[in-house]
Amino acid sequence: MLLIDCPWCGPRDDEEFHYGGEAHILRPRDAAALSDEAFADYLFMQQNPKGPHLERWSHNHGCRRWFNMLRNTATNEILEIYPMGEKPKTEAGQAAYAANWRRETAAEKNALSGEGS
Amino acid sequence: MSGQNHRLANSGSIDRSAPLKFQFDGQQYEGYKGDTLASALLANGVHLVGRSFKYHRPRGIMSAGSEEPNALIQLGDGNRTDPNLRATRIELRDGLVAASQNRWPCLKFDVGSVNNLLHRFFPAGFYYKTFMWPASWWLKYEHWIRRAAGLGKAPQGRDPDRYEKTHRHCDVLIVGGGPAGLAAALAAGRTGARVILVDEGTLLGGSLWSDLDCTIDGAPGLDWVRATVAELQAMPEVTLLIRTTATGYYDHNYLTLLERITDHLGTAPDHLPRQRLWKIRAKRVVLAAGAIERPLVFANNDRPGIMLASAARTYMNRFAVTPGRRVLVLTNNDDAYRTALAMHAQGVRIAGLVDLRAQPKGPLVAAAAAAGIAVHPGQAVVATRGALRVSSVEIMKLTADGAGVTGSARKIECDAVAMSGGWTPTVHMFSQSGGKLRWSEDVSAFVPDLSVQAETSVGSCNGAVSLVKCLKQGLKAGIEAARATGYKGRVTAAPNVGEPPQSDRRDLWVVPGKKPLGHAGKHFVDFQNDVTAADVHLAAREGYQSIEHLKRYTTMGMGTDQGKTSNINALAIMGEVLGANVPGADVSRVGHTTFRPPYTPATIGAYAGRNIGAFFDPVRTTAMDFWHREAGAKFEHVGQWMRAWYYPKPGESLRQAVDREVKAARDGVGILDATTLGKIDIQGPDAAEFLNRVYTNVWLKLAPGRARYGLMLKEDGMVMDDGVTARLSENRFHMTTTTGGAAGVLDWLEEWRQTEWPDLKVYITSVTEQWAVASICGPDCRTLLAELCPDIDLANDAFPFMSVREGTVAGIAARVFRISFTGELSFEINVPRRHGLALWQAMMEAGEKYDICPYGTEAMHVLRAEKGFIIVGQETDGTVTPSDLCMDWIVSKTKVDFVGKRALARRDIVSADRKRLVGLLTEDPNEVLPEGAQIVEAVQPEPPMAMIGHVTSSYYSPSCGRSIAMALVKGGPTRIGETLSIPLAGKTIRAVVTEPRFFDLDGERANG
Ligand SMILES: [Zn+2]
């Protein structure tokens, strides 16, 4: 029974929340250009680490807002909560982000193509 | 009545002015207020209280606490009966009726005890070895095992009692009201912190009620308890909970407590719940759960009359009951000397004090000698005698290494044995919190090591042996916990404590007998599940070397007591067998089993609380519900909704009613309560763009006032929901969803809006509850509506199919949609919910001259199936794509993207092998296929057969005059014209594959 600090409502029991799976899975911009296998990395594959995990939650039975969370899956310690659309700011969060195999996938590169150009 | 012949004349904290009568196994006894059932039975000289699980051996009361493995009791009768209660925790009350368990026909003569004579056939792993073959007989075996083994009887009917739940926050939660817990509460409470202290017993003070040889600040320990409790009770922010067990310790300092409110009262006042489940979120937790004394594992150590030395002391000092008149004490440590001295002081004869240690010394040993108690150092009990109660023991001299005995045996007469094998810290809560344990040589048990939550263990659950340490640790943890939550306060000084000092233990995990282990009597480790030291040896020899495997193979620790008295003994014996002389030598090799909640057995009713019956799941009803009930409708559950299923006339069957309703909807005018469909209001400049992305078809150019059917996919391309969405104005849409999918679709849209497209200006609001909807259809429905709706031009040109208008119906502001789920000319009239019943009644009144017919969900299903309209969740199951439904027409080829688009191009999705939607017409037109039936190409004499599909919808169609069905079949439309088989139990039905449409194939009727 986690105690989750909703950025909008404050600490609330996890009964009020909905777990939304791994965070920072970018949706391909030109999915047609991806092979089935490369697209499957986006569509099906998720991390399952023992330790810090970047994931999405929504305060379903509260303000209904989505946000990102860094949670240690082994201890359930919540290490960071940050808004949708942003990247983690803590060292552990940045390390978890960088260590994810997804960063190297064609699906993610496809999603980022054209960004910033 | 035998009288309380084992009650001491003075002492104890029972209320002698309040004698109570009670019944045990049909016999009348007397006890006092303040007794437990166990202490009252002992006061009457009753030790025999149960038969063991496997061997049906006679068993007595072993402990004075919740760790009791033997004295399991069934209380009450009928649906209030409660099995597996521990006699040591049942408060005596007048008129209590208790029964022993696991015996037939009676305790003193038990048929099952033949198992004891057959013990060679009941080795470790007995169930696994015996009942492996053949698998089909397992049900019979299980029945037999349960009958023979039965631990009490569950009530048959509904629990008549009421249970409640409550939620609390606190600064400091303290588990355990012994000296350490009270000290922690005192230190924390004095700062003003919000403190909850919980104890499973009826009295706060813990061991101080038993250990009367301790003083605090020069006065009896109980004086300190009384003063401390009084001070705590006066603190407004402190809550003291007795008769309350901390059952579970979960993440982020979330704990559950189970409070027994009326169990001790007998008949409870109506206004009180029987039990209350507390759900606590604590900023800090202090665990002061105490320790449990270990039995010694010696030959036939299970006879009634053999109990823990600390329990004997508790019965003496708290309950003024002596367990016997000639008590033998067997120990490996100093603590049992306190029991011997306490008994001696009360005039109870000590038959002997057998000490496993070769040269015990120290003040307690000296005091025993001075009192004239016969101490037998370096000796062991090698045998016990007595059929239903211990009557004598034999002792022999231990060899120097303790592995064997030498010399000749000496018999000592006794009627009770008090044994002590040391103390096991109660680390259950700590371990549940996720904390890591370490092996402590000091106490030969696991103690808390690394905390992972905001928690501190203090006192004997932390391995502290002396009272002074318990108090000091408690005071320190209390003030630190309070300070950690922001309170300020001074450290409470530790009091001066007087207590007997204690020297070292000698751990002999198996006390040797006269013959090798297993050959002369049984050395019980787990008393409740009848697991012996020989069983542990056998399991180890057979290769069960993980403690988790040992547990399951021998059933050690799997009883209702979860091995509270047996776990350490079992794993230490295991450690010896595996070559490590103590578990500490190689903890990683033995380790410990998982501590799981609840700490003691808990009533399921308390976890349900008030969420039962009508409160289990809310029932949603429509504004017209009252009318449907008056009309005698039958109802069905659709999600949480109650929907009118059909409206039978007197004597009508379901089929007859549905046939009539369908006919009326096709030939005259039918009316359906369509309120339950999900309705979502979507607004904003980007609303059309948003819909364009979540639906498979195009939405940007839909004109205001027009509506469109839409199919929503998951990102994997599978159909998720469908419905008609209308554009009310440039920036506003009214979306409908399936009844069951409404909440999920709302969440889905919100997720995409917030997480993927935060740049879109769009707002999504559920309006399902805001509208009541009456859907009318049939050739006469336009004429009927025209009578009630003067301000909307209902002509085909002015109000075409798939459009929406606003106006009034029966004087009520309404949104009218011209859409159709029946294939007929149809209007869906939406009015504010509060006017729903008025609208319905007006329609029924005005419709009387057209023979308006209300129809329910069953007729609705038939009407839509005749037209081949799918129902999401019936034709689909999360693995069905639009193409599988032969609905490729609704998937835009031109849109660059929509949710699910790329997945539709995946190899497996475009495979020709997929199941696709077809119609099925049975050869016998009156045969209605069962939904879910499997379809085969060729029937084999017996399974297995290659199954190529299944029936999704199947009805008798009055409009077609025959049965119709829809099915998902491999190859789909390519099979049209083929005859397939549907093998059922006892018969096979053959059906021809058709288009999944059966009526009004050119779709003319919707134009009216
Ligand atoms: Zn919130």
Side-chain angles (χ1 to χ4, degrees):
Chain A
M1 299 300 272
L2 311 185
L3 184 67
I4 298 173
D5 197 0
C6 172
W8 304 91
C9 310
R12 294 286 190 278
D13 195 278
D14 70 9
E15 281 188 358
E16 296 182 11
F17 293 83
H18 167 78
Y19 176 64
E22 184 183 332
H24 308 295
I25 301 177
L26 302 185
R27 193 160 186 266
R29 289 193 168 204
D30 181 13
L34 290 171
S35 68
D36 277 4
E37 288 70 21
F39 184 66
D41 282 343
Y42 155 75
L43 184 59
F44 296 122
M45 302 308 239
Q46 297 225 347
Q47 275 213 308
N48 186 22
K50 182 179 182 182
H53 183 229
L54 297 166
E55 56 199 26
R56 310 180 313 154
W57 287 77
S58 82
H59 193 188
N60 226 25
H61 299 289
C63 63
R64 297 185 62 78
R65 299 288 298 199
W66 282 81
F67 54 90
N68 290 313
M69 185 193 287
L70 174 65
R71 179 179 63 103
N72 185 324
T73 59
T75 62
N76 271 334
E77 189 184 358
I78 296 171
L79 301 158
E80 184 180 353
I81 286 174
Y82 56 102
M84 287 316 299
E86 291 185 15
K87 297 221 177 82
K89 290 172 190 64
T90 60
E91 217 168 280
Q94 287 170 356
Y97 182 86
N100 192 330
W101 57 272
R102 188 180 302 287
R103 302 290 89 85
E104 299 306 317
T105 59
E108 176 141 327
K109 286 175 180 154
N110 180 300
L112 292 170
S113 63
E115 203 167 79
S117 63
Chain B
M1 191 175 293
S2 55
Q4 300 184 47
N5 53 11
H6 282 67
R7 185 78 71 181
L8 302 170
N10 297 304
S11 81
S13 38
I14 40 148
D15 183 355
R16 289 169 200 266
S17 69
L20 305 173
K21 287 188 169 51
F22 70 101
Q23 201 179 326
F24 176 68
D25 277 351
Q27 183 121 7
Q28 294 290 333
Y29 298 100
E30 202 168 272
Y32 290 121
K33 189 163 188 268
D35 263 326
T36 63
L37 176 60
S39 70
L41 285 168
L42 290 172
N44 288 277
V46 177
H47 276 263
L48 173 66
V49 289
R51 288 272 174 172
S52 72
F53 184 68
K54 197 159 80 178
Y55 301 121
H56 288 243
R57 285 167 72 107
R59 289 285 162 79
I61 295 158
M62 189 209 268
S63 74
S66 60
E67 70 271 29
E68 176 61 36
N70 292 339
L72 299 183
I73 298 295
Q74 184 119 16
L75 277 193
D77 46 26
N79 290 332
R80 280 208 161 84
T81 192
D82 232 339
N84 297 325
L85 300 171
R86 289 138 299 160
T88 50
R89 280 290 176 218
I90 297 170
E91 290 178 54
L92 197 68
R93 59 171 192 262
D94 207 38
L96 181 80
V97 177
S100 61
Q101 298 183 170
N102 201 26
R103 44 76 187 166
W104 185 84
C106 72
L107 260 184
K108 289 183 179 163
F109 176 76
D110 176 75
V111 167
S113 61
V114 70
N115 289 1
N116 191 29
L117 304 174
L118 300 175
H119 69 95
R120 282 186 197 288
F121 303 105
F122 285 79
F126 164 72
Y127 295 143
Y128 296 96
K129 286 167 178 163
T130 312
F131 300 118
M132 289 198 337
W133 185 91
S136 60
W137 282 27
W138 175 250
L139 286 176
K140 288 193 178 110
Y141 289 145
E142 195 189 17
H143 177 72
W144 181 84
I145 292 169
R146 290 200 186 285
R147 225 166 89 139
L151 276 175
K153 290 185 182 63
Q156 297 296 311
R158 192 191 173 98
D159 189 337
D161 286 315
R162 190 159 53 84
Y163 301 86
E164 282 182 358
K165 288 185 236 183
T166 185
H167 296 254
R168 290 294 162 91
H169 293 266
C170 67
D171 296 308
V172 185
L173 173 67
I174 299 161
V175 177
L182 285 177
L186 193 63
R190 282 178 177 172
T191 67
R194 185 175 294 182
V195 174
I196 297 175
L197 180 139
V198 50
D199 192 275
E200 60 178 343
T202 54
L203 292 172
L204 296 172
S207 60
L208 290 173
W209 289 93
S210 310
D211 297 349
L212 300 183
D213 51 2
C214 297
T215 59
I216 297 176
D217 282 336
L222 287 177
D223 288 3
W224 178 85
V225 170
R226 290 190 187 98
T228 303
V229 171
E231 185 175 342
L232 290 170
Q233 280 170 336
M235 294 177 182
E237 296 296 339
V238 172
T239 305
L240 303 177
L241 294 173
I242 56 168
R243 298 189 181 94
T244 307
T245 307
T247 54
Y249 194 141
Y250 305 90
D251 290 313
H252 296 189
N253 269 3
Y254 184 87
L255 288 91
T256 50
L257 318 177
L258 187 60
E259 182 185 13
R260 293 167 293 277
I261 296 168
T262 65
D263 286 352
H264 64 292
L265 298 176
T267 47
D270 279 345
H271 69 282
L272 287 177
R274 181 187 170 209
Q275 296 181 356
R276 180 182 289 132
L277 186 72
W278 294 67
K279 298 182 169 188
I280 309 262
R281 186 77 73 171
K283 287 183 184 157
R284 302 285 313 182
V285 172
V286 176
L287 296 175
I292 293 171
E293 196 168 26
R294 293 193 285 266
L296 284 164
V297 181
F298 57 100
N300 291 335
N301 55 347
D302 67 326
R303 292 192 199 280
I306 302 178
M307 64 166 54
L308 297 169
S310 61
R313 190 152 83 238
T314 298
Y315 289 120
M316 292 287 301
N317 289 342
R318 175 169 168 184
F319 298 105
V321 170
T322 178
R325 304 200 190 288
R326 287 175 59 92
V327 180
L328 183 110
V329 178
L330 174 64
T331 186
N332 70 354
N333 63 69
D334 279 1
D335 194 66
Y337 281 74
R338 302 167 78 181
T339 301
L341 288 165
M343 289 183 157
H344 178 79
Q346 289 281 355
V348 176
R349 182 157 171 205
I350 302 300
L353 202 167
V354 181
D355 196 324
L356 301 178
R357 299 172 297 182
Q359 289 169 317
K361 42 184 181 293
L364 281 166
V365 179
I373 294 172
V375 178
H376 307 281
Q379 306 257 332
V381 170
V382 294
T384 67
R385 304 248 181 280
L388 299 175
R389 167 98 178 253
V390 66
S391 59
S392 69
V393 303
E394 285 180 48
I395 67 170
M396 284 174 80
K397 186 171 166 43
L398 281 162
T399 57
D401 64 357
V405 283
T406 67
S408 55
R410 192 176 139 200
K411 185 178 173 187
I412 301 179
E413 307 271 335
C414 62
D415 60 358
V417 175
M419 60 179 165
S420 178
W423 293 81
T424 302
T426 305
V427 294
H428 298 64
M429 286 284 124
F430 172 80
S431 192
Q432 285 181 27
S433 80
K436 300 286 174 289
L437 298 166
R438 71 175 168 83
W439 181 260
S440 161
E441 294 291 343
D442 291 346
V443 291
S444 288
F446 288 100
V447 295
D449 190 12
L450 296 171
S451 290
V452 301
Q453 299 205 36
E455 157 279 332
T456 315
S457 290
V458 296
S460 49
C461 78
N462 190 37
V465 177
S466 64
L467 175 61
V468 66
K469 267 195 181 168
C470 290
L471 291 171
K472 279 183 176 167
Q473 289 182 3
L475 291 169
K476 181 165 180 280
I479 187 71
E480 283 176 358
R483 284 174 177 171
T485 61
Y487 290 86
K488 293 185 177 59
R490 291 177 38 192
V491 177
T492 300
N496 289 315
V497 174
E499 60 184 320
Q502 300 196 30
S503 53
D504 290 344
R505 237 179 13 264
R506 181 188 193 185
D507 291 321
L508 277 187
W509 297 112
V510 177
V511 179
K514 288 193 276 191
K515 291 184 180 170
L517 193 59
H519 287 83
K522 291 188 173 66
H523 288 63
F524 281 98
V525 180
D526 182 326
F527 290 74
Q528 189 171 94
N529 272 2
D530 273 350
V531 181
T532 65
D535 290 330
V536 176
H537 279 241
L538 177 65
R541 281 202 305 278
E542 291 184 350
Y544 292 89
Q545 305 204 340
S546 142
I547 192 72
E548 294 285 1
H549 289 160
L550 173 82
K551 168 177 169 171
R552 282 153 186 83
Y553 192 59
T554 61
T555 71
M556 183 274 298
M558 291 174 70
T560 59
D561 64 341
Q562 293 183 304
K564 288 185 175 65
T565 54
S566 65
N567 276 336
I568 291 293
N569 282 339
L571 63 91
I573 294 168
M574 186 77 170
E576 280 183 334
V577 183
L578 295 181
N581 58 345
V582 286
D586 192 355
V587 176
S588 62
R589 211 165 151 194
V590 178
H592 57 83
T593 53
T594 309
F595 295 92
R596 291 192 175 86
Y599 174 66
T600 50
T603 313
I604 296 286
Y607 288 81
R610 305 298 299 273
N611 302 100
I612 55 168
F615 298 137
F616 179 67
D617 198 27
V619 171
R620 302 170 77 179
T621 54
T622 72
M624 293 80 113
D625 187 70
F626 167 78
W627 192 94
H628 305 321
R629 283 179 199 286
E630 291 286 298
K634 301 283 182 196
F635 287 82
E636 69 168 339
H637 289 273
V638 182
Q640 290 176 324
W641 288 101
M642 284 294 274
R643 295 196 72 178
W645 185 20
Y646 62 102
Y647 301 82
K649 293 200 161 157
E652 261 185 348
S653 66
L654 166 64
R655 163 84 174 270
Q656 287 165 335
V658 169
D659 284 1
R660 174 177 52 74
E661 291 172 15
V662 168
K663 198 166 165 18
R666 294 255 182 254
D667 297 343
V669 54
I671 181 166
L672 172 82
D673 182 353
T675 300
T676 63
L677 281 187
K679 295 171 279 291
I680 300 173
D681 188 75
I682 300 175
Q683 296 191 48
D686 294 321
E689 172 62 25
F690 182 76
L691 292 175
N692 214 42
R693 296 185 189 186
V694 296
Y695 277 133
T696 60
N697 50 351
V698 291
W699 288 82
L700 296 179
K701 289 180 182 153
L702 185 71
R706 298 306 304 262
R708 186 164 284 170
Y709 175 76
L711 208 54
M712 225 178 261
L713 309 184
K714 292 265 185 184
E715 185 73 320
D716 63 4
M718 303 303 163
V719 172
M720 150 185 182
D721 205 79
D722 70 346
V724 170
T725 293
R727 190 167 204 163
L728 301 175
S729 63
E730 183 62 24
N731 293 340
R732 185 170 197 186
F733 291 81
H734 176 105
M735 174 188 277
T736 64
T737 74
T738 59
T739 295
V745 170
L746 185 76
D747 287 349
W748 177 250
L749 300 179
E750 195 60 51
E751 179 178 345
W752 283 91
R753 186 186 77 82
Q754 285 186 40
T755 69
E756 204 58 45
W757 308 313
D759 51 315
L760 291 187
K761 289 189 176 63
V762 56
Y763 303 90
I764 303 159
T765 310
S766 168
V767 291
T768 301
E769 295 285 348
Q770 277 65 32
W771 298 98
V773 183
S775 175
I776 54 171
C777 74
D780 296 334
C781 79
R782 181 185 276 137
T783 324
L784 166 61
L785 182 57
E787 285 184 27
L788 296 169
C789 178
D791 46 3
I792 300 176
D793 183 349
L794 300 176
N796 253 337
D797 299 347
F799 191 0
F801 186 51
M802 296 305 274
S803 53
V804 57
R805 297 288 180 270
E806 295 196 342
T808 59
V809 178
I812 305 162
R815 278 183 196 162
V816 182
F817 295 81
R818 194 175 153 201
I819 55 181
S820 177
F821 195 43
T822 60
E824 299 300 316
L825 173 68
S826 177
F827 297 91
E828 286 193 10
I829 304 149
N830 287 239
V831 297
R833 184 191 154 98
R834 64 186 179 279
H835 299 307
L837 184 57
L839 170 76
W840 187 274
Q841 284 167 331
M843 304 292 301
M844 291 307 298
E845 206 170 301
E848 206 174 344
K849 54 185 164 301
Y850 305 101
D851 280 336
I852 188 169
C853 175
Y855 66 96
T857 51
E858 189 65 23
M860 176 192 81
H861 278 233
V862 176
L863 288 159
R864 66 91 201 176
E866 289 176 339
K867 286 290 295 175
F869 296 149
I870 62 146
I871 287 186
V872 170
Q874 186 148 353
E875 270 62 57
T876 73
D877 60 5
T879 68
V880 176
T881 68
S883 174
D884 296 342
L885 295 169
C886 300
M887 289 173 72
D888 306 77
W889 53 269
I890 202 172
V891 180
S892 164
K893 307 283 183 296
T894 56
K895 281 202 293 187
V896 176
D897 193 16
F898 57 83
V899 176
K901 178 179 169 73
R902 171 62 182 86
L904 292 180
R906 292 176 58 242
R907 268 193 304 279
D908 296 320
I909 302 302
V910 297
S911 155
D913 200 31
R914 291 185 67 82
K915 289 184 186 178
R916 300 185 72 202
L917 193 69
V918 294
L920 287 181
L921 293 177
T922 50
E923 287 186 339
D924 173 359
N926 287 314
E927 183 85 63
V928 180
L929 288 164
E931 288 174 354
Q934 293 292 322
I935 301 163
V936 301
E937 224 163 354
V939 181
Q940 306 296 332
E942 59 180 52
M945 288 172 252
M947 295 179 287
I948 58 168
H950 64 275
V951 178
T952 59
S953 292
S954 177
Y955 311 94
Y956 183 81
S957 161
S959 312
C960 302
R962 59 155 300 135
S963 69
I964 57 171
M966 290 196 270
L968 286 164
V969 177
K970 274 187 185 172
T974 64
R975 290 184 182 270
I976 286 174
E978 281 182 33
T979 299
L980 300 175
S981 295
I982 298 94
L984 302 171
K987 66 174 173 181
T988 294
I989 301 173
R990 287 161 57 82
V992 178
V993 180
T994 67
E995 291 274 348
R997 274 170 287 284
F998 308 96
F999 181 73
D1000 180 36
L1001 298 181
D1002 54 9
E1004 283 300 313
R1005 298 178 67 96
N1007 295 329

